[in-house]
């Protein structure tokens, strides 16, 4: 499991939390990924990290809580996607391995992928998924029999010959790692895969129509939440279903004059004050407080955040322990990092991103309309 990236496009959330540890409907993405693998009998996973490695250890330890064996190897310098696997080669043995990008939410049928790999007698099988804009991904055109034709990593539009992209889950015969240079930055997508293809090694694409989303950007982070709450991917929701499609953790207190519009997910000890409105498509983490008259829609509010009186939060993300004063407005995929204090009457729009631990005095930020 490759979890060493910096998650740059998801800053400021990833300043304090590595991308795979960001909660998706109150469960870290990596936990969802591990549980997904476990369903298919995977019981041993090597985590390859680099950025903020301690966060993984603190949460997962040796994996026993999940009933899995986790081996955590961390890099001093990023070794690239393939260099990272070379770096853990000593743990691999001769068995076929599954390599997963750690920033993907998917319900991929791992058993079908594995059978396909065996049936084709492939050395490498790459899962493929259709996307609308392939230019942000690795394009993988196939021959009619499923063999891979070429690799076009982050192609320009004039190179786009298919909508099938590398979905970031590979089945690999570990003997190919013998030819990877050790202790050096090396990429699957730009180096090992094209080189194996040139050598005539059997490499196949496995097109899948499963649910697939990479957690690259704030918009996709929100989309993951919305899709889960709309049951486009069946991820178990934490807590009890207190009304239809409203899930709540333990000790949640909702004022009787507040409105909760489904679907919604509320963590443990959430408090929602008088006349507040939450939902639809909202996820509130543990210990979130929503004060009187505040309104939250289509948003993710992380653990311990405090949403002040009469705030309005629309399609946006509020980081852990961030405190908003009265009438703060957060809209249009804006992202407030962790531990921010924004005093009353501030406004955040147009996807602005505020760095963790910033303090913003009352009424400092306003967006004026010119229309
Ligand atoms: N250990 C380690 N070391 N992990 C790394 C390193 C590294 O140096 N670099 C990246 N990773 C991890 C990231 O944490 C992520 O989980 C995964 O490897 C892929 O890296 P990204 O940086 O997210 O790559 P990408 O999204 O631009 O492109 C990749 O994923 C696409 C699908 O989402 C490529 O595999 C594309 O071909 C693919 O289409
Ligand atoms: Mg990625």
């Amino acid at each position: 499991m490759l979890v060493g990236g910096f998650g740059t496009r998801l800053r400021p959330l990833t300043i304090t939390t590595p991308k795979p540890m960001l909660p998706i409907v109150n469960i870290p993405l990596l936990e969802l990924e591990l549980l997904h693998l476990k369903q298919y009998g995977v019981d041993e996973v090597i985590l390859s990290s680099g950025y903020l490695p301690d966060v993984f250890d603190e949460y997962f330890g040796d994996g026993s809580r999940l009933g899995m064996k986790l081996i955590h190897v961390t890099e001093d310098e990023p070794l690239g996607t393939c260099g990272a696997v070379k770096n853990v080669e000593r743990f691999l043995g001769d068995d076929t391995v599954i390599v997963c990008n750690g920033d993907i939410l998917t319900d991929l049928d791992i058993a079908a992928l594995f059978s396909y790999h065996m049936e084709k007698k492939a050395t490498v099988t790459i899962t493929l998924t259709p996307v609308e804009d392939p230019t942000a991904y690795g394009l993988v055109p196939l021959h009619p029999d499923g063999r891979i034709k070429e690799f076009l990593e982050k192609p320009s539009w004039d190179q786009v010959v298919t909508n099938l992209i590398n979905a970031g889950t590979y089945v690999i015969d570990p003997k190919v790692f013998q030819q990877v240079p050790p202790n050096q930055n090396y990429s699957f997508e730009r180096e090992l895969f094209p080189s194996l293809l040139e050598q005539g090694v059997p490499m196949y694409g496995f097109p899948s129509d499963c649910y697939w989303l990479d957690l690259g950007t704030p918009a996709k982070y929100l989309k993951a939440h919305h899709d889960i709450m709309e049951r486009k991917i069946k991820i178990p929701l934490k807590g009890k279903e207190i009304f239809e499609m409203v899930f709540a953790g333990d000790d949640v207190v909702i004022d009787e004059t507040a409105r909760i519009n489904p679907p919604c997910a509320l963590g443990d000890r959430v408090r929602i004050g008088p006349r507040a409105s939450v939902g639809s498509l909202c996820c509130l983490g543990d210990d979130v407080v929503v004060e009187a008259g505040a309104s939250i829609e289509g948003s993710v509010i992380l653990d311990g955040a405090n949403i002040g009186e009469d705030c309005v939060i629309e399609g946006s993300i509020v980081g852990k322990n961030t405190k908003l004063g009265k009438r703060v407005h957060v809209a249009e995929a804006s992202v407030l990092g962790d531990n921010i204090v924004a005093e009353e009457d501030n406004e955040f729009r147009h996807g602005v991103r505020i760095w963790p631990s910033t303090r913003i005095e009352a009424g400092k930020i306003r967006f004026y309309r010119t229309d």
Side-chain angles (χ1 to χ4, degrees), residues 20 27-36 59-60 65-66:
I27 302 176
L29 171 64
L30 182 56
E31 182 168 354
L32 296 177
E33 295 173 316
L34 293 173
L35 292 172
H36 173 236
Y59 188 83
F60 289 110
R65 190 176 54 83
L66 296 185

Side-chain angles (χ1 to χ4, degrees), residues 2 4-5 48 75 78-80 101-103 137-138 153-154 166 170 189:
L2 298 173
S48 167
E75 298 157 14
L79 291 171
N101 285 358
D103 59 349
Y137 302 100
E153 190 62 21
K154 318 279 153 71
N166 170 2
Y170 319 130
E189 302 84 345

Side-chain angles (χ1 to χ4, degrees), residues 21 23 48 77 89 97 119 130 138 149 171 178 213-214 218 248 262 295 316 327 329 331 334 353 363 365:
M21 292 305 287
S48 167
E77 290 296 325
E89 196 180 14
V97 291
E119 185 189 303
K149 239 189 214 165
V171 183
Q178 286 166 12
L213 185 71
D214 78 307
S295 152
S316 293
R327 297 176 300 276
H329 196 156
S334 296
R353 302 179 187 207
I365 303 187

